[in-house]
Short mmCIF file of all heavy atoms in Angstrom, two decimals:
data_model
loop_
_atom_site.label_atom_id
_atom_site.label_comp_id
_atom_site.label_asym_id
_atom_site.label_seq_id
_atom_site.Cartn_x
_atom_site.Cartn_y
_atom_site.Cartn_z
N ASP A 38 133.01 129.32 112.67
CA ASP A 38 132.95 128.17 113.59
C ASP A 38 133.37 126.90 112.84
O ASP A 38 133.05 126.72 111.67
CB ASP A 38 131.54 127.97 114.15
CG ASP A 38 131.20 128.99 115.23
OD1 ASP A 38 132.10 129.74 115.65
OD2 ASP A 38 130.03 129.03 115.65
N THR A 39 134.08 126.03 113.56
CA THR A 39 134.55 124.79 112.96
C THR A 39 134.24 123.61 113.87
O THR A 39 134.02 123.78 115.07
CB THR A 39 136.08 124.81 112.71
OG1 THR A 39 136.75 124.96 113.96
CG2 THR A 39 136.48 125.91 111.76
N GLN A 40 134.23 122.46 113.28
CA GLN A 40 134.11 121.20 114.02
C GLN A 40 135.04 120.22 113.32
O GLN A 40 134.97 120.08 112.09
CB GLN A 40 132.67 120.69 114.00
CG GLN A 40 132.44 119.43 114.77
CD GLN A 40 132.52 119.63 116.28
OE1 GLN A 40 132.09 120.66 116.79
NE2 GLN A 40 133.07 118.67 116.98
N ALA A 41 135.92 119.60 114.07
CA ALA A 41 136.88 118.66 113.49
C ALA A 41 136.54 117.24 113.93
O ALA A 41 136.04 117.01 115.03
CB ALA A 41 138.29 119.02 113.91
N TYR A 42 136.82 116.30 113.03
CA TYR A 42 136.57 114.88 113.29
C TYR A 42 137.76 114.06 112.86
O TYR A 42 138.42 114.37 111.88
CB TYR A 42 135.33 114.40 112.50
CG TYR A 42 134.07 115.07 112.95
CD1 TYR A 42 133.60 116.20 112.30
CD2 TYR A 42 133.37 114.59 114.04
CE1 TYR A 42 132.45 116.84 112.73
CE2 TYR A 42 132.23 115.23 114.48
CZ TYR A 42 131.77 116.34 113.82
OH TYR A 42 130.64 116.98 114.26
N LEU A 43 138.02 113.02 113.62
CA LEU A 43 139.04 112.05 113.26
C LEU A 43 138.30 110.85 112.69
O LEU A 43 137.47 110.24 113.37
CB LEU A 43 139.85 111.65 114.49
CG LEU A 43 141.06 110.77 114.23
CD1 LEU A 43 142.06 111.51 113.31
CD2 LEU A 43 141.74 110.42 115.54
N VAL A 44 138.55 110.55 111.43
CA VAL A 44 137.90 109.43 110.75
C VAL A 44 139.01 108.52 110.27
O VAL A 44 139.79 108.90 109.40
CB VAL A 44 137.04 109.91 109.56
CG1 VAL A 44 136.34 108.73 108.91
CG2 VAL A 44 136.04 110.96 110.00
N CYS A 45 139.07 107.33 110.90
CA CYS A 45 140.19 106.40 110.68
C CYS A 45 141.47 107.16 111.06
O CYS A 45 141.59 107.58 112.18
CB CYS A 45 140.17 105.85 109.27
SG CYS A 45 138.66 104.89 108.94
N ASP A 46 142.38 107.38 110.13
CA ASP A 46 143.62 108.10 110.48
C ASP A 46 143.65 109.52 109.93
O ASP A 46 144.69 110.17 109.96
CB ASP A 46 144.83 107.33 109.93
CG ASP A 46 145.04 106.01 110.64
OD1 ASP A 46 144.70 105.94 111.84
OD2 ASP A 46 145.53 105.06 110.01
N ASP A 47 142.54 110.01 109.43
CA ASP A 47 142.50 111.33 108.82
C ASP A 47 141.64 112.29 109.62
O ASP A 47 140.60 111.92 110.16
CB ASP A 47 141.95 111.25 107.39
CG ASP A 47 142.86 110.45 106.48
OD1 ASP A 47 144.08 110.66 106.53
OD2 ASP A 47 142.34 109.61 105.71
N ALA A 48 142.07 113.55 109.67
CA ALA A 48 141.30 114.59 110.34
C ALA A 48 140.58 115.42 109.29
O ALA A 48 141.17 115.88 108.32
CB ALA A 48 142.22 115.48 111.17
N TYR A 49 139.27 115.59 109.50
CA TYR A 49 138.43 116.38 108.60
C TYR A 49 137.84 117.54 109.39
O TYR A 49 137.65 117.45 110.60
CB TYR A 49 137.29 115.54 108.02
CG TYR A 49 137.78 114.46 107.10
CD1 TYR A 49 138.00 113.18 107.58
CD2 TYR A 49 138.02 114.73 105.77
CE1 TYR A 49 138.47 112.18 106.73
CE2 TYR A 49 138.48 113.74 104.92
CZ TYR A 49 138.70 112.47 105.40
OH TYR A 49 139.15 111.49 104.56
N GLN A 50 137.56 118.61 108.68
CA GLN A 50 136.99 119.78 109.34
C GLN A 50 135.80 120.31 108.57
O GLN A 50 135.83 120.41 107.35
CB GLN A 50 138.05 120.88 109.44
CG GLN A 50 137.54 122.16 110.06
CD GLN A 50 138.65 123.17 110.20
OE1 GLN A 50 139.44 123.08 111.11
NE2 GLN A 50 138.70 124.12 109.28
N LEU A 51 134.76 120.66 109.31
CA LEU A 51 133.61 121.38 108.76
C LEU A 51 133.77 122.81 109.24
O LEU A 51 134.00 123.06 110.42
CB LEU A 51 132.30 120.83 109.32
CG LEU A 51 131.83 119.52 108.77
CD1 LEU A 51 131.90 118.48 109.85
CD2 LEU A 51 130.43 119.70 108.28
N LYS A 52 133.64 123.76 108.33
CA LYS A 52 133.76 125.17 108.69
C LYS A 52 132.60 125.94 108.10
O LYS A 52 132.29 125.80 106.91
CB LYS A 52 135.08 125.74 108.16
CG LYS A 52 135.29 127.19 108.52
CD LYS A 52 136.64 127.68 108.03
CE LYS A 52 136.86 129.11 108.48
NZ LYS A 52 138.16 129.60 108.06
N ILE A 53 131.96 126.74 108.94
CA ILE A 53 130.86 127.58 108.46
C ILE A 53 131.45 128.81 107.79
O ILE A 53 132.20 129.56 108.41
CB ILE A 53 129.93 127.97 109.62
CG1 ILE A 53 129.27 126.71 110.20
CG2 ILE A 53 128.87 128.97 109.15
CD1 ILE A 53 128.38 126.95 111.38
N ILE A 54 131.12 128.99 106.52
CA ILE A 54 131.66 130.14 105.78
C ILE A 54 130.59 131.19 105.48
O ILE A 54 130.91 132.30 105.08
CB ILE A 54 132.40 129.73 104.48
CG1 ILE A 54 131.48 128.96 103.54
CG2 ILE A 54 133.63 128.92 104.82
CD1 ILE A 54 132.08 128.71 102.17
N GLU A 55 129.32 130.81 105.66
CA GLU A 55 128.23 131.76 105.46
C GLU A 55 127.04 131.28 106.29
O GLU A 55 126.76 130.08 106.36
CB GLU A 55 127.85 131.81 103.99
CG GLU A 55 126.75 132.77 103.64
CD GLU A 55 126.39 132.68 102.16
OE1 GLU A 55 127.29 132.80 101.31
OE2 GLU A 55 125.19 132.48 101.87
N SER A 56 126.37 132.21 106.93
CA SER A 56 125.21 131.85 107.73
C SER A 56 124.16 132.94 107.62
O SER A 56 124.42 134.10 107.91
CB SER A 56 125.62 131.67 109.19
OG SER A 56 124.52 131.31 109.97
N THR A 57 122.98 132.55 107.15
CA THR A 57 121.85 133.47 107.07
C THR A 57 120.67 132.82 107.78
O THR A 57 120.78 131.71 108.30
CB THR A 57 121.47 133.79 105.61
OG1 THR A 57 120.97 132.61 105.00
CG2 THR A 57 122.66 134.34 104.84
N ARG A 58 119.56 133.49 107.78
CA ARG A 58 118.39 132.98 108.48
C ARG A 58 117.95 131.60 107.97
O ARG A 58 117.60 130.72 108.75
CB ARG A 58 117.25 133.98 108.34
CG ARG A 58 116.02 133.60 109.09
CD ARG A 58 115.00 134.68 109.01
NE ARG A 58 113.80 134.29 109.75
CZ ARG A 58 112.74 135.03 109.86
NH1 ARG A 58 112.72 136.23 109.30
NH2 ARG A 58 111.70 134.61 110.53
N TYR A 59 117.99 131.41 106.66
CA TYR A 59 117.47 130.18 106.08
C TYR A 59 118.53 129.24 105.51
O TYR A 59 118.21 128.12 105.13
CB TYR A 59 116.46 130.49 104.98
CG TYR A 59 115.25 131.22 105.50
CD1 TYR A 59 115.05 132.56 105.21
CD2 TYR A 59 114.32 130.57 106.30
CE1 TYR A 59 113.94 133.24 105.69
CE2 TYR A 59 113.20 131.24 106.80
CZ TYR A 59 113.03 132.57 106.49
OH TYR A 59 111.93 133.24 106.98
N THR A 60 119.78 129.70 105.42
CA THR A 60 120.82 128.86 104.84
C THR A 60 122.11 128.92 105.64
O THR A 60 122.37 129.90 106.34
CB THR A 60 121.15 129.27 103.39
OG1 THR A 60 121.69 130.58 103.38
CG2 THR A 60 119.95 129.18 102.48
N THR A 61 122.88 127.87 105.51
CA THR A 61 124.23 127.82 106.06
C THR A 61 125.11 127.20 104.98
O THR A 61 124.73 126.21 104.36
CB THR A 61 124.29 126.93 107.33
OG1 THR A 61 123.40 127.46 108.30
CG2 THR A 61 125.70 126.89 107.91
N VAL A 62 126.28 127.80 104.75
CA VAL A 62 127.22 127.25 103.79
C VAL A 62 128.44 126.78 104.58
O VAL A 62 128.99 127.53 105.39
CB VAL A 62 127.64 128.27 102.72
CG1 VAL A 62 128.64 127.66 101.75
CG2 VAL A 62 126.42 128.78 101.97
N VAL A 63 128.83 125.53 104.34
CA VAL A 63 129.99 124.96 105.03
C VAL A 63 130.97 124.40 104.01
O VAL A 63 130.59 124.06 102.89
CB VAL A 63 129.57 123.82 106.00
CG1 VAL A 63 128.67 124.33 107.10
CG2 VAL A 63 128.93 122.66 105.28
N THR A 64 132.22 124.34 104.44
CA THR A 64 133.22 123.61 103.67
C THR A 64 133.56 122.36 104.46
O THR A 64 133.57 122.37 105.69
CB THR A 64 134.50 124.42 103.41
OG1 THR A 64 135.04 124.85 104.66
CG2 THR A 64 134.23 125.61 102.52
N LEU A 65 133.79 121.29 103.75
CA LEU A 65 134.23 120.04 104.36
C LEU A 65 135.52 119.66 103.68
O LEU A 65 135.59 119.60 102.45
CB LEU A 65 133.22 118.92 104.10
CG LEU A 65 131.84 119.05 104.69
CD1 LEU A 65 130.90 119.64 103.69
CD2 LEU A 65 131.38 117.69 105.10
N GLY A 66 136.54 119.44 104.47
CA GLY A 66 137.81 119.10 103.86
C GLY A 66 138.75 118.40 104.81
O GLY A 66 138.55 118.38 106.02
N LEU A 67 139.78 117.85 104.23
CA LEU A 67 140.85 117.20 104.96
C LEU A 67 141.69 118.27 105.62
O LEU A 67 142.02 119.28 105.00
CB LEU A 67 141.67 116.38 103.96
CG LEU A 67 142.63 115.34 104.45
CD1 LEU A 67 141.90 114.29 105.29
CD2 LEU A 67 143.31 114.66 103.27
#
Side-chain angles (χ1 to χ4, degrees):
D38 284 352
T39 62
Q40 182 71 37
Y42 296 94
L43 188 61
V44 182
C45 299
D46 292 329
D47 296 315
Y49 294 94
Q50 177 177 281
L51 284 113
K52 182 177 183 178
I53 296 177
I54 58 171
E55 181 183 307
S56 180
T57 66
R58 184 175 180 180
Y59 297 108
T60 64
T61 301
V62 179
V63 297
T64 56
L65 296 95
L67 195 58

